[in-house]
Amino acid sequence: MASSFPTAPLVAGSLVGGYAVGRATKVRALAGVVLAAGGVLAGRQWLARSGPATTTALAVTYVGAFGLSHPLAKRIGAWPSVLTVAGVAAGAAWAFSDRTASAS
């Protein structure tokens, strides 16, 4: 990969942005495009930087955050839920990929 970039903001932004796009347009497929694009871009960076095991773990965290946001929203509200899972997924991306890349 020609350029290296931090993935934590991408992860948080695509989870929050996907929700915002879906809510604003009422078109779930558009939200899915935002989520998929963010996941693919972050995944490529994770693979190049941290290898397949970390990439798999972070991808599961990303998809899991999306899935967990739905039942969590029933308890704490939609926006608080999205912001919470985005923060957790972004924190994982930073801890397991971005932090180690910036240290080298």
Side-chain angles (χ1 to χ4, degrees):
M1 182 166 276
S3 66
S4 181
F5 56 89
T7 60
L10 176 61
V11 166
S14 58
L15 285 164
V16 172
Y19 174 71
V21 165
R23 185 172 176 135
T25 65
K26 307 274 191 258
V27 180
R28 295 179 86 157
L30 289 178
V33 168
V34 173
L35 290 166
V40 167
L41 288 172
R44 289 176 50 117
Q45 188 67 36
W46 296 330
L47 187 59
R49 180 185 295 150
S50 304
T54 300
T55 300
T56 300
L58 290 172
V60 167
T61 301
Y62 181 76
V63 172
F66 169 72
L68 181 62
S69 70
H70 293 82
L72 186 59
K74 292 180 184 196
R75 295 186 155 266
I76 67 172
W79 275 112
S81 172
V82 169
L83 294 174
T84 298
V85 301
V88 169
W94 177 82
F96 296 105
S97 185
D98 295 347
R99 177 176 59 120
T100 57
S102 65
S104 17

